[in-house]
Amino acid sequence: MTTIHVRYFAGLREALGPQQTIDLPAGSTVAELRALLLPTSARHAELLAPGRAVRCAVNQVMAEETALVPEVAEVAFFPPVTGG
Amino acid sequence: MTDAPIRTSTTTTTASRVSIQTADFDLSTEVAALRAADGGVGAVATFIGTVRDSSDGHRVSAMELEHYPGMTERAIEAMIDAAQARFDIRAARVVHRVGPLAVGAQIVLVAVTSAHRGQAFGACEFLMDYLKTQAPFWKKESTAAGSHWVDARNSDDAALRRWGIDAANASNPANTSIANNAGKP
């Protein structure tokens, strides 16, 4: 088990709060982490549900759902980006 | 007289390539700094994005921009590295504002210098297409009906794909991997 620092931005930040920590089995993927976050609250279950357009960054680099989460990691979930 | 000022004037300083700021920016000042002391520059291409007064038929009264401090800067630095590798350019600079912005306000500046115009035009467009879909910024618009987060556009993903980069933002292939993983032992 490793403790992962999860951050949220934009609409997800407003609904879920700016951050939370969660214990994650070593060798888990981003998708597995996202699935573990679903039971946190009804809002998590809705907004992080599979099929929702949610982007992810691991240690501040864009990551696919299949990416492994390192033992020491800041993982961020956020909506598709809309800058520029 | 000391030799300190002489050293200063002959040292090539690498100016900051990326600025994320609440303050406005000045095009002339930015371009002058980018061109400074580089006699090889024959072309400067710039792009400025501004806040429109309407969006999808709704009148916009103001905008708020959020970013991911640290990641945003690193992501754009990496985009400039990619532009340097792909185009024959001399320098590039990106300024992006965050926080509250009024209608008409400048949001983003991309400026690129090169020897000839083709590479500068190309790199400027490449950087904007990349930034639109891969830099962590989020726009929240205020209208008479309240405020809402702006939806990403599939057309922006398509714009990046023209450069051979298939990194989806608005579209949603990433979530198919969740479905795929669901059956994993």
Side-chain angles (χ1 to χ4, degrees), chain B residues 103-140:
Chain B
V103 168
Q106 301 187 119
I107 303 171
V108 59
L109 167 73
V110 174
V112 179
T113 63
S114 63
H116 305 286
R117 72 185 183 285
Q119 297 294 303
F121 276 134
C124 190
E125 194 167 19
F126 171 83
L127 280 169
M128 266 315 293
D129 288 345
Y130 218 154
L131 188 151
K132 289 288 282 189
T133 59
Q134 302 299 316
F137 293 102
W138 301 273
K139 286 183 180 134
K140 192 177 195 181

Side-chain angles (χ1 to χ4, degrees), chain B:
Chain B
M1 186 196 274
T2 72
D3 62 355
I6 296 170
R7 267 211 304 271
T8 302
S9 65
T10 55
T11 300
T12 305
T13 55
T14 306
S16 163
R17 301 194 301 176
V18 179
S19 293
I20 311 298
Q21 59 191 48
T22 54
D24 200 4
F25 53 82
D26 179 72
L27 175 63
S28 299
T29 305
E30 293 290 346
V31 167
L34 200 63
R35 294 177 58 189
D38 185 354
V41 172
V44 182
T46 62
F47 172 88
I48 292 177
T50 60
V51 181
R52 281 191 309 273
D53 67 358
S54 67
S55 173
D56 297 326
H58 298 284
R59 189 151 191 87
V60 173
S61 55
M63 180 175 279
E64 177 106 21
L65 260 149
E66 179 171 333
H67 76 304
Y68 185 166
M71 177 178 170
T72 307
E73 290 85 345
R74 286 173 55 184
I76 299 174
E77 288 281 357
M79 289 171 201
I80 293 177
D81 287 342
Q84 298 268 19
R86 187 177 285 240
F87 298 93
D88 186 12
I89 58 175
R90 302 191 66 88
R93 167 120 168 106
V94 174
V95 182
H96 204 300
R97 296 178 68 192
V98 292
L101 293 172
V103 168
Q106 301 187 119
I107 303 171
V108 59
L109 167 73
V110 174
V112 179
T113 63
S114 63
H116 305 286
R117 72 185 183 285
Q119 297 294 303
F121 276 134
C124 190
E125 194 167 19
F126 171 83
L127 280 169
M128 266 315 293
D129 288 345
Y130 218 154
L131 188 151
K132 289 288 282 189
T133 59
Q134 302 299 316
F137 293 102
W138 301 273
K139 286 183 180 134
K140 192 177 195 181
E141 286 175 349
S142 297
T143 67
S147 60
H148 65 275
W149 294 97
V150 173
D151 286 328
R153 294 174 188 273
N154 285 312
S155 59
D156 288 328
D157 286 3
L160 186 63
R161 223 172 288 126
R162 290 180 308 157
W163 302 101
I165 301 173
D166 198 5
N169 176 52
S171 50
N172 209 15
N175 288 303
T176 60
S177 63
I178 288 188
N180 292 341
N181 284 342
K184 204 174 78 172

Side-chain angles (χ1 to χ4, degrees), chain A residues 8-66:
Chain A
Y8 300 106
F9 288 91
L12 289 180
R13 173 184 55 74
E14 286 184 336
L16 309 180
Q19 58 193 322
Q20 72 180 97
T21 55
I22 186 165
D23 289 331
L24 186 72
S28 297
T29 63
V30 166
E32 287 161 347
L33 168 60
R34 184 168 156 182
L36 279 178
L37 291 166
L38 295 177
T40 307
S41 78
R43 282 183 157 181
H44 287 71
E46 179 193 347
L47 298 175
L48 298 176
R52 283 273 184 169
V54 174
R55 300 276 88 89
C56 177
V58 174
N59 288 332
Q60 304 197 356
V61 176
M62 289 285 192
E64 300 290 333
E65 296 279 345
T66 50

